[in-house]
Amino acid sequence: MLKVTFDRPWPLHGTAATRRIEQEAAASLPAHALMERAGLAVARLALAIAPHAHRVWVACGPGNNGGDGLEAAVHLHRWGKAVTVTLAGSPDKLPPDAANAWRKCREAGVPVADALPSAWDLGIDALLGLGSSRPLEDALAAAAGRMSASASPVLAIDLPSGLNADTGNGQSVRAAHTVSLLTLKPGLFTGAGRDAAGELWFDDLGVQAAEAPTAQLAGPAPVRVRAHASHKGLNGDVAVIGGAPGMAGAAVLAATSALCGGAGRVFLAPLDTGFGAAVPGWPELMVRAWDALPLESISVACGCGGGDAVAAMLPAVLSRAKWLVLDADALNAIAADASLQETLRRRGRPTVLTPHPLEAARLLGTSTAQVQGDRLRAAQELGERSKAVVVLKGSGTVIAAPGTTPSINPTGNGRLATGGTGDVLAGLVAAALPVSSDALQAAAHAVYRHGKAADDWPAGEPLTAGALARRLHLD
Ligand SMILES: NC(=O)C1=CN([C@@H]2O[C@H](COP(=O)(O)OP(=O)(O)OC[C@H]3O[C@@H](n4cnc5c(N)ncnc54)[C@H](O)[C@@H]3O)[C@@H](O)[C@H]2O)[C@@H](O)CC1
Ligand SMILES: [K+]
């Protein structure tokens, strides 16, 4: 059993891959062995996270997730806990492993109640796992609702019941802890998964997964030590093109973020002709006209408050920039213009798109709900279509590129939901591209760093985009 910490990458396996791993392992093990291991792991974790909990409610569902709960209930009962089992389903319809666990439960004398209990110290959610296929109803919904609403902590087995393992969608139990079995599932880390799952634990049940991961949970970048004999020319030049009248702040945020994020030199090309020759308070930033910039040799972040005006620059920027980050208004302009989409596809140089779900929906010609319905798939599809790295922002930002395993970012929190943090990210990605040979890795590490800065934010201090940019210092 491992606690899932975000200081290293983790492989993630979706439902189909996990089912294959389970079938292969079950074929080489004695009957019921996997479920017995799962039940023991859950019972041990229950003791570890809630050592003083005496009354334990194990809410079991109609399938093998319920079976895991029944196995755990037998152990906890034997260890002296006051266990109450409820079963949302019929004992004679349980699948074989779960039916075996039910028999053991009855033989051990574990109390089984028809009605949901009114008080307990620890809830164990064994209603649904991988098999969750539709919204919770009736007895399952009643048990899930009562368990989630209680002040007593919930330990979810495999997944918070109702959560889709692949997409992180679905109304589900809200758990304080979730122990993911055999594999870690992508749905725990994106969409509603982060809020539903609480602290995450992983038990492989002694099975080494031979399946290729469906996705990767991103880890931090290795520390980049700058050589003593270094100079600014080795650390990449970044230009930010954006900041139409009334939106100059977005471009300034991206530029300051690139600077604080480690770029050697940073240019700012405001689209507001009245901007002035310098950025107050930031003498390091060099203000230039966009068409005076050496686009062929620099990293460009384009969008960032560019408004409608940015569309006119895009043909040149798309065909000339050595490295390119497209954000916000640049993405909207591309979504509205098939010839820009074609130029993007044919660019053939490192390109990163940083859409939020609505921008991604516009680019894909679909709805925000459909993008959010399967964030991994939407990011992958957009990457394939545009031949670019895609950073689909949101809870569990997805980073995808054609022909590669996508990543989900584990850092960041709701404090980032404030104006300008996306511009900060665009600047940071633009700074990361010139010093990396792999645009996907550069983007994933920048996203990780951006989120980590928010996770490490001092309590009681407001998180604003400008303050965030300043905190992106190199170690
Ligand atoms: N078979 C085994 O030996 C093992 C099973 N494991 C557990 O088994 C789980 C998967 O078991 P199952 O495939 O039986 O699936 P579940 O136990 O998740 O679901 C059971 C059944 O509930 C039904 N269902 C889905 N949504 C429903 C809803 N909203 N309302 C009513 N019924 C609904 C489905 O028809 C599904 O087959 C894993 O998540 C894991 O917890 C693991 O412990 C590994 C070992
Ligand atoms: K569950």
Side-chain angles (χ1 to χ4, degrees), residues 75 189 247 272 317 349 360 365:
H75 290 293
F189 300 98
M247 294 182 286
D272 180 354
V317 170
R349 272 157 292 169

Side-chain angles (χ1 to χ4, degrees), residues 47-357:
L47 285 195
I49 60 171
H52 305 296
H54 183 59
R55 298 162 300 173
V56 181
W57 172 24
V58 187
C60 300
N64 285 322
N65 193 257
D68 292 348
L70 294 168
E71 289 281 353
V74 172
H75 290 293
L76 291 165
H77 174 74
R78 291 208 174 114
W79 298 340
K81 299 293 183 185
V83 176
T84 302
V85 163
T86 58
L87 180 64
S90 159
D92 45 337
K93 291 197 181 137
L94 290 169
D97 286 340
N100 177 62
W102 174 257
R103 267 191 306 276
K104 286 161 75 175
C105 224
R106 300 316 311 230
E107 282 163 19
V110 179
V112 176
D114 288 332
L116 303 182
S118 53
W120 59 94
D121 307 314
L122 173 69
I124 296 185
D125 161 27
L127 293 166
L128 291 175
L130 275 184
S132 177
S133 57
R134 52 191 188 275
L136 299 170
E137 286 174 353
D138 306 328
L140 287 170
R146 180 160 315 178
M147 199 170 261
S148 300
S150 161
S152 300
V154 177
L155 167 58
I157 302 182
D158 209 19
L159 293 150
S161 295
L163 190 78
N164 183 292
D166 298 315
T167 65
N169 276 293
Q171 281 273 73
S172 75
V173 165
R174 266 182 105 89
H177 297 264
T178 296
V179 55
S180 195
L181 302 169
L182 278 178
T183 62
L184 280 174
K185 287 88 184 167
L188 292 166
F189 300 98
T190 198
R194 284 297 297 278
D195 288 324
E199 296 272 333
L200 275 162
W201 304 82
F202 170 54
D203 199 307
D204 66 7
L205 305 182
V207 175
Q208 302 305 314
E211 284 278 332
T214 313
Q216 183 92 2
L217 190 69
V223 176
R224 188 165 77 91
V225 181
R226 286 188 175 190
H228 197 277
S230 184
H231 61 81
K232 62 181 183 246
L234 294 175
N235 292 314
D237 290 348
V238 172
V240 175
I241 301 178
M247 294 182 286
V252 173
L253 284 168
T256 53
S257 166
L259 186 68
C260 299
R265 284 179 295 211
V266 181
F267 302 97
L268 175 62
L271 303 182
D272 180 354
T273 48
F275 185 83
V279 183
W282 291 96
E284 305 88 347
L285 300 179
M286 294 171 280
V287 178
R288 297 280 188 279
W290 77 272
D291 49 0
L293 292 167
L295 299 180
E296 288 78 1
S297 60
I298 63 176
S299 179
V300 177
C302 185
C304 313
D308 294 340
V310 82
M313 287 99 211
L314 278 171
V317 170
L318 283 167
S319 50
R320 289 175 50 202
K322 182 164 183 181
W323 299 276
L324 182 56
V325 180
L326 294 163
D327 188 39
D329 296 317
L331 297 175
N332 293 334
I334 290 168
D337 185 330
S339 80
L340 289 177
Q341 290 162 26
E342 188 56 24
T343 314
L344 169 61
R345 261 195 299 278
R346 292 176 181 279
R347 235 179 77 73
R349 272 157 292 169
T351 310
V352 181
L353 318 185
T354 55
H356 58 52

Side-chain angles (χ1 to χ4, degrees), residues 269-455:
L271 303 182
D272 180 354
T273 48
F275 185 83
V279 183
W282 291 96
E284 305 88 347
L285 300 179
M286 294 171 280
V287 178
R288 297 280 188 279
W290 77 272
D291 49 0
L293 292 167
L295 299 180
E296 288 78 1
S297 60
I298 63 176
S299 179
V300 177
C302 185
C304 313
D308 294 340
V310 82
M313 287 99 211
L314 278 171
V317 170
L318 283 167
S319 50
R320 289 175 50 202
K322 182 164 183 181
W323 299 276
L324 182 56
V325 180
L326 294 163
D327 188 39
D329 296 317
L331 297 175
N332 293 334
I334 290 168
D337 185 330
S339 80
L340 289 177
Q341 290 162 26
E342 188 56 24
T343 314
L344 169 61
R345 261 195 299 278
R346 292 176 181 279
R347 235 179 77 73
R349 272 157 292 169
T351 310
V352 181
L353 318 185
T354 55
H356 58 52
L358 175 59
E359 289 157 356
R362 289 181 184 133
L363 286 161
L364 286 166
T366 177
S367 66
T368 309
Q370 271 186 303
V371 167
Q372 292 296 75
D374 194 341
R375 290 169 50 76
L376 271 169
R377 203 176 66 192
Q380 284 174 288
E381 194 183 328
L382 184 53
E384 294 291 346
R385 274 201 204 182
S386 52
K387 304 282 175 247
V389 176
V390 171
V391 171
L392 175 59
K393 296 183 282 199
S395 177
T397 290
V398 177
I399 305 103
T404 61
T405 305
S407 290
I408 300 178
N409 181 59
T411 62
N413 58 66
R415 298 178 88 170
L416 287 170
T418 180
T421 55
D423 302 302
V424 170
L425 179 65
L428 192 62
V429 176
L433 287 174
V435 289
S436 171
S437 55
D438 180 336
L440 179 81
Q441 282 298 317
H445 289 148
V447 172
Y448 186 99
R449 198 167 150 206
H450 181 259
K452 183 80 167 63
D455 290 343

